[in-house]
Amino acid sequence: MTVQPDIIFVSLAQNQSSFFHAVGEVLQRAGHCIFHICFHEGAVQELREAGCDVFNPYEYQPTDVDAVCFEDFAIANPAQLLGHEKAAYELVDSAALARKFKSHLAALDAILVQLEASGRPLCMVQELGGFTSVLAAYYAARRRRIDNWFIEPSFFRGRIFFTPNSFAAPPVPTATAEPTAEVTKILNAIVDSRVVVIPAKDKLHYRGASKKLLDPKNFCRLAEKLVAKHVRGEQEEFHHIGGHVARHLRMFFNSRRLFRHYRELPASERFIYYPLHVPADFALTIRSPEYLDQYTLIDYLCRIAPLGYRVVIKEHPALVGAVSPARIGDLLARHDNFTLLSPALNNHEVLAAADAVVTVNSKSGAEALLHGTPVVVLGDAFYRSCAQVRRITALHELQGALEQALAPAPAYARVAVLPFFQAVWDASRPGELYDNSAGNVAQFAESLAGCLEN
């Protein structure tokens, strides 16, 4: 008889812990023992009141942080891993971040030692991320040969990737199978309707800065976080409240400063499209850190773009105003072939009109394939294995790849990439993160159980 592994859910916020609690209840009825490690002390209390087995890592912090060695966790270069929090929180104190990382590593290691005492097999499940809390959970699990399953949204709405023991983009095998009618219909609808596919958990981020600032729910949430931190003294991962508010205020004013630079699609010029990534996204900070400074990459792209081609960029719709007006102004001053598009433009409209798309690993690269637009991908993306993608391994290869992408060639029909997207569908599983509806919770639990069984 196969022994069901005990599942350890790692969460950083109340919405995460609430969702994993619901999923855990379903899996518990299927024979799994469920544990929670929660980096949010308010959520820890809620889970304990609900009768869950939950560990508060802040209760396991070491007294001597200097005694913790990164080498014991097979971390060769912690400085690179700290880059995510530096970018996301806009911090510069490497020593303080290293101490935080070590503290979390020691805490997670102590918790896992305690759980291992039962002698039952263990596995860890958490959303993909680059914060030291997530990284510590991953490295502590791998040190003890415990499988860690990262969750991230698939290309398709309502589907997710489960990736074991790796920060890399989910592997998608080379496809040969014919696409199903369901997948073909979904892909055709994406192109025909030109609707941007947004995971359920991120819908509220796809709003303008002013709407975020004026949302009454955000004011209530801010008040709750201030009381939790300064009145109740609770700790959590996302405790940089002042910095978070300041960034959104800055985004609002930046969007106003950038307004005069916004342009519509070039009417009669050929252009290369670079869709801006979320500035501090895991896809850049951990998967492709060499391209974290996107302004430098855009500058290089403007310098190697063939004569007669413009380089156009557009802000990520989830973070309009997150770009630096000063650096955009510098690019505009130095390159007469550079254009900042209006964020109001539909991304599919831009992808369809572009002569080529250059991206690190944005989902826009996959969407461009559906429009028959040549794609050059620089970083670690789930669609790198697609035959129609031009892949480079170093920046000096970009000019040659771009010339090939822009060379006259018969356009491929959409049907040519459908087998690849069928492979993406097959590599992912049904479910959405942080959607607590009964149907989604049951579906997510079934998908996770299927991964663990295989």
Side-chain angles (χ1 to χ4, degrees):
M1 180 178 177
T2 303
V3 178
Q4 300 278 30
D6 294 353
I7 300 174
I8 309 164
F9 287 111
V10 179
S11 56
L12 311 185
Q14 286 177 307
N15 68 314
Q16 297 181 13
S17 63
S18 174
F19 176 73
F20 287 136
H21 175 211
V23 172
E25 288 186 320
V26 176
L27 292 169
Q28 204 161 21
R29 291 194 291 269
H32 295 274
C33 288
I34 305 298
F35 300 94
H36 297 269
I37 297 175
C38 186
F39 286 87
H40 187 291
E41 291 193 313
V44 167
Q45 185 59 34
E46 291 177 359
L47 289 171
R48 285 175 175 168
E49 290 173 356
C52 298
D53 289 314
V54 55
F55 293 87
N56 177 0
Y58 298 107
E59 296 174 351
Y60 289 81
Q61 302 289 302
T63 54
D64 184 9
V65 175
D66 294 331
V68 181
C69 296
F70 286 117
E71 292 79 6
D72 292 341
F73 295 86
I75 299 174
N77 185 10
Q80 179 181 332
L81 296 174
L82 298 178
H84 182 84
E85 283 198 21
K86 284 185 174 182
Y89 293 146
E90 299 179 351
L91 302 175
V92 296
D93 193 337
S94 299
L97 285 173
R99 289 193 298 272
K100 177 185 175 184
F101 195 3
K102 285 185 174 183
S103 295
H104 286 341
L105 285 168
L108 267 294
D109 193 55
I111 292 170
L112 294 181
V113 168
Q114 188 172 332
L115 288 171
E116 281 184 320
S118 69
R120 292 170 56 88
L122 298 168
C123 71
M124 181 175 285
V125 178
Q126 57 180 330
E127 182 185 4
L128 182 74
F131 296 100
T132 51
S133 46
V134 175
L135 300 176
Y138 168 76
Y139 280 104
R142 297 310 298 142
R143 181 190 188 190
R144 303 203 162 274
R145 303 183 187 279
I146 296 170
D147 285 333
N148 177 94
W149 289 85
F150 280 126
I151 314 162
E152 61 182 301
S154 171
F155 174 80
F156 296 94
R157 180 183 286 119
R159 295 185 73 84
I160 44 182
F161 288 118
F162 290 96
T163 305
N165 305 325
S166 175
F167 293 127
V172 177
T174 302
T176 56
E178 287 298 313
T180 63
E182 179 184 12
V183 169
T184 302
K185 181 180 179 181
I186 291 172
L187 294 173
N188 287 337
I190 289 173
V191 176
D192 295 340
S193 67
R194 302 201 167 186
V195 173
V196 178
V197 178
I198 305 171
K201 71 183 186 70
D202 296 327
K203 283 183 178 180
L204 291 179
H205 295 300
Y206 283 69
R207 298 181 293 170
S210 59
K211 290 185 178 180
K212 292 178 183 178
L213 287 174
L214 298 176
D215 188 341
K217 292 182 180 178
N218 286 340
F219 282 101
C220 293
R221 186 70 188 120
L222 173 61
E224 291 172 358
K225 289 178 75 70
L226 289 171
V227 170
K229 179 178 180 179
H230 297 292
V231 178
R232 295 198 295 269
E234 295 174 353
Q235 300 181 77
E236 62 164 295
E237 173 57 65
F238 305 118
H239 67 283
H240 297 281
I241 303 172
H244 184 71
V245 173
R247 277 190 296 278
H248 279 78
L249 286 170
R250 187 171 66 243
M251 286 165 56
F252 171 77
F253 289 112
N254 282 352
S255 65
R256 296 297 181 268
R257 292 174 62 189
L258 289 166
F259 184 80
R260 63 190 179 94
H261 296 307
Y262 291 147
R263 297 291 182 269
E264 296 301 312
L265 278 174
S268 57
E269 292 180 277
R270 309 187 76 180
F271 68 91
I272 302 159
Y273 178 36
Y274 177 83
L276 279 168
H277 297 65
V278 172
D281 188 64
F282 177 93
L284 291 179
T285 59
I286 303 296
R287 281 187 177 153
S288 300
E290 63 270 38
Y291 300 116
L292 180 58
D293 188 340
Q294 297 182 83
Y295 306 103
T296 299
L297 176 57
I298 295 165
D299 174 78
Y300 180 66
L301 188 55
C302 289
R303 285 186 281 117
I304 65 170
L307 289 175
Y309 286 88
R310 301 195 69 78
V311 173
V312 308
I313 69 169
K314 190 168 77 74
E315 295 165 275
H316 193 283
L319 285 175
V320 174
V323 298
S324 165
R327 298 197 68 177
I328 292 295
D330 178 62
L331 289 169
L332 288 167
R334 289 189 295 108
H335 299 292
D336 62 357
N337 64 339
F338 172 66
T339 298
L340 174 66
L341 295 178
S342 167
L345 283 168
N346 184 286
N347 199 48
H348 285 279
E349 181 181 352
V350 184
L351 293 170
D355 292 278
V357 170
V358 175
T359 180
V360 178
N361 47 23
S362 168
K363 188 179 69 176
S364 292
E367 292 170 334
L369 293 170
L370 294 174
H371 291 279
T373 304
V375 176
V376 180
V377 60
L378 288 71
D380 183 14
F382 73 88
Y383 49 87
R384 283 181 67 89
S385 61
C386 180
Q388 284 72 27
V389 168
R390 288 171 174 81
R391 302 168 293 278
I392 70 171
T393 57
L395 190 57
H396 67 82
E397 300 173 359
L398 176 57
Q399 184 171 353
L402 187 58
E403 290 172 355
Q404 292 176 12
L406 295 172
Y412 63 83
R414 188 185 309 166
V415 68
V417 298
L418 295 186
F420 168 74
F421 283 98
Q422 180 65 52
V424 174
W425 178 278
D426 294 338
S428 59
R429 291 174 180 261
E432 287 269 14
L433 270 171
Y434 314 135
D435 174 357
N436 284 29
S437 64
N440 180 70
V441 166
Q443 185 65 78
F444 187 100
E446 181 180 343
S447 294
L448 176 56
C451 287
L452 300 183
E453 289 173 3
N454 292 331

